[in-house]
Amino acid sequence: MSLIVKWLLSAIAVMITAYLLPGVSVESFWAALVVAVILALFNAVLKPILVILTIPITILTLGLFLLVINAIIILMTDVLIGGFTVSNFWWAIAFSIIMAILGSLFNDIAERV
């Protein structure tokens, strides 16, 4: 049950972030829900591989390269999902930052449910 709540809150975070950023658009809540699921899958499977492969540059940039990895994952999600559009790399980074902030806020809510 908590997994479903987390996905719903993540979809709401995607909708809020798309509303705040003019370079990001989501057509519907269902598209946001699919984005949340795909981002969760990519973060569980693909992100650890990318982090391991880029450890030297991540250390060199004091961890800021993780924002680039997040942006790449978001742009890959944009390619896969028709109802989700990110204009460019910089909007993907902004999307990543806002999603991280909203995710940490919503994580407290999900833990209480």
Side-chain angles (χ1 to χ4, degrees):
M1 184 69 173
S2 71
L3 181 65
I4 294 171
V5 171
K6 287 182 182 182
W7 276 341
L8 289 173
L9 289 174
S10 182
I12 292 169
V14 169
M15 293 291 290
I16 292 170
T17 305
Y19 177 77
L20 293 174
L21 297 175
V24 179
S25 66
V26 178
E27 288 182 5
S28 65
F29 182 75
W30 295 111
L33 192 60
V34 173
V35 168
V37 170
I38 296 297
L39 282 176
L41 289 174
F42 279 169
N43 282 330
V45 176
L46 188 60
K47 187 174 180 177
I49 296 168
L50 291 174
V51 168
I52 289 171
L53 291 175
T54 60
I55 285 175
I57 194 165
T58 302
I59 291 171
L60 186 66
T61 61
L62 302 175
L64 289 177
F65 193 73
L66 293 174
L67 286 173
V68 173
I69 292 173
N70 286 341
I72 290 169
I73 289 173
I74 290 166
L75 290 173
M76 289 172 60
T77 304
D78 173 27
V79 170
L80 289 177
I81 300 172
F84 176 63
T85 306
V86 180
S87 296
N88 59 32
F89 178 78
W90 298 109
W91 287 118
I93 287 181
F95 183 87
S96 171
I97 292 169
I98 293 175
M99 280 293 293
I101 293 168
L102 290 175
S104 68
L105 292 175
F106 287 165
N107 191 28
D108 292 338
I109 296 170
E111 289 177 359
R112 293 179 186 172
V113 171

